[in-house]
Amino acid sequence: MRKAALYQFSLPMEAGIILRYQRLKTRDGFLVHLQENGRDGWGEISPLPEFSHETLEQAKTATVEWLQQWCLNKRCLNTQSEESELPSVAFGLSCALAELQGELPAEADYRKAPLCTGDPDDVILRLGNMTGQKVAKVKVGLYEAVRDGMVVNVMLEAVPDLQLRLDANRSWTRTKADGFAKYVNPDYRQRIAFLEEPCKTREESLAFARETGIAIAWDESVREADFTLEAQEGVSAIIIKPTLVGSIARCRQLIAEAHQLGLEVVISSSIETSFGLTQLARLAHWLTPGSLPGLDTLDLIQSQLIRCWPDSDIPCVTLDKLATVWSHKCL
């Protein structure tokens, strides 16, 4: 017997979270629950405004259609998630199927690369308490290039064994990117693990990497139709945000291709709830065990959701507080 249900959530965000052109006040999405022969599988479907191409309503419609077919089709267990062209839907459904079939390991990588969006001293203190590999991430491009360069210098000088990940979100012209590089101590540049998409075009980013010696990583490019993974001078990594990329199978394909080219792969958050983050931590432990995942977004949402992050004291919303959008049982 198969049963399926779709639940909707809306969790308040911390004040001041701005995504490109809008302030994000709530994190909205769905939890899908599959049941078959005493087994359960869950997934989160939460398209990210300004980044996902699909809207919440489009994701809902596509998910309900898929669930209706799944409940009626006893022959197909694991291919239907691939049929959705909406990445958030494909990813959430593939997680639910993977849990249902016991394919998503329970072990998780709950380490987080601390994210610096303001005062670097806060992150430096957190790094002092970290054991093992010290990795942090800094959002750059939000302020003047000279300020970004100074923050990077301060952090790399204060923590001698730090590897720093930077993210510019294609916000710089080539001139501004060069201005940033000018303010970074040349002796520290090798400890910048990568700078995600510094310039507005791939060609400018590649030229920046070649000429400054600062490695770059592909993030937005990975999700574009004309992108092909290849070995390129100055490129050291790719960033995979499954909610924006698609199913587990699609993510595994990209990871395998990148590893064959000698590139690091970082599984990263799209501001999922604690529920989705715990599944991303499990994926990271399974598929990218040698790379610290980029999952330090838990504190951006004021409540956790059903599955909580270890040692977090953020209050948790339980299943009985969620609205049931759709449910069905098929004998």
Side-chain angles (χ1 to χ4, degrees):
M1 181 179 72
R2 286 185 175 181
K3 294 172 62 178
L6 188 65
Y7 304 94
Q8 187 163 5
F9 62 82
S10 182
L11 304 178
M13 299 287 295
E14 290 295 336
I17 305 302
I18 298 175
L19 296 180
R20 289 184 177 166
Y21 308 114
Q22 73 177 68
R23 188 178 301 277
L24 193 63
K25 296 182 178 179
T26 59
R27 192 64 178 101
D28 302 300
F30 306 95
L31 293 183
V32 60
H33 183 200
L34 306 180
Q35 295 175 278
E36 184 176 39
N37 300 329
R39 296 173 298 173
D40 289 83
W42 289 82
E44 177 179 326
I45 298 170
S46 52
L48 183 63
E50 300 285 349
F51 290 85
S52 293
H53 295 296
E54 66 271 23
T55 65
L56 198 65
E57 192 61 31
Q58 289 170 332
K60 173 184 172 182
T61 299
T63 302
V64 169
E65 289 176 355
W66 187 95
L67 290 173
Q68 289 171 334
Q69 292 299 313
W70 183 82
C71 282
L72 296 173
N73 184 354
K74 294 183 179 295
R75 295 172 298 172
C76 180
L77 268 175
N78 58 8
T79 59
Q80 292 175 337
S81 64
E82 299 296 317
E83 296 173 7
S84 178
E85 296 180 353
L86 308 183
S88 65
V89 176
F91 178 60
L93 292 174
S94 69
C95 283
L97 286 170
E99 284 198 352
L100 186 72
Q101 298 158 25
E103 294 177 356
L104 182 59
E107 296 82 9
D109 187 346
Y110 290 118
R111 300 174 302 157
K112 296 184 294 185
L115 176 62
C116 178
T117 56
D119 186 355
D121 290 340
D122 294 338
V123 176
I124 290 170
L125 287 173
R126 291 176 62 187
L127 288 166
N129 297 324
M130 287 180 67
T131 57
Q133 183 185 23
K134 286 185 170 60
V135 177
K137 181 173 180 176
V138 178
K139 287 282 188 178
V140 295
L142 302 175
Y143 308 100
E144 290 300 316
V146 59
R147 181 192 183 278
D148 289 329
M150 290 172 62
V151 167
V152 168
N153 277 335
V154 165
M155 294 184 68
L156 290 172
E157 183 176 1
V159 187
D161 54 346
L162 173 64
Q163 288 287 311
L164 205 52
R165 299 171 178 174
L166 310 177
D167 186 4
N169 288 122
R170 294 180 170 177
S171 62
W172 283 331
T173 62
R174 178 62 201 279
T175 300
K176 286 189 176 181
D178 288 342
F180 162 80
K182 184 174 68 175
Y183 289 107
V184 176
N185 187 330
D187 294 337
Y188 295 161
R189 291 183 184 182
Q190 293 306 308
R191 288 200 286 129
I192 296 176
F194 51 74
L195 169 52
E196 298 175 30
E197 308 244 8
C199 302
K200 298 183 183 299
T201 70
R202 292 181 213 155
E203 292 75 16
E204 287 177 325
S205 291
L206 286 168
F208 168 85
R210 288 194 303 267
E211 294 170 23
T212 64
I214 297 175
I216 64 169
W218 298 130
D219 179 7
E220 290 89 348
S221 294
V222 174
R223 305 187 292 274
E224 293 176 337
D226 65 343
F227 179 73
T228 302
L229 266 177
E230 56 184 313
Q232 295 168 298
E233 183 183 353
V235 179
S236 66
I238 67 167
I239 312 302
I240 292 182
K241 296 175 177 172
T243 287
L244 306 180
V245 167
S247 68
I248 292 176
R250 172 60 178 154
C251 293
R252 291 186 72 178
Q253 176 190 1
L254 283 169
I255 291 167
E257 291 176 1
H259 284 167
Q260 285 181 345
L261 294 170
L263 299 176
E264 182 181 6
V265 181
V266 176
I267 290 179
S268 187
S269 160
S270 302
I271 317 184
E272 291 84 358
T273 69
S274 64
F275 192 105
L277 287 177
T278 59
Q279 288 190 320
L280 289 174
R282 292 161 67 186
L283 276 179
H285 184 272
W286 177 26
L287 302 178
T288 59
S291 182
L292 192 69
L295 305 180
D296 193 24
T297 57
L298 181 71
D299 294 340
L300 300 182
I301 304 177
Q302 293 182 14
S303 299
Q304 300 192 78
L305 183 62
I306 301 176
R307 295 180 184 173
C308 294
W309 194 269
D311 302 322
S312 173
D313 57 4
I314 299 173
C316 188
V317 173
T318 52
L319 183 61
D320 60 294
K321 302 298 184 184
L322 303 186
T324 302
V325 175
W326 183 91
S327 65
H328 187 75
K329 179 190 298 184
C330 184
L331 299 176

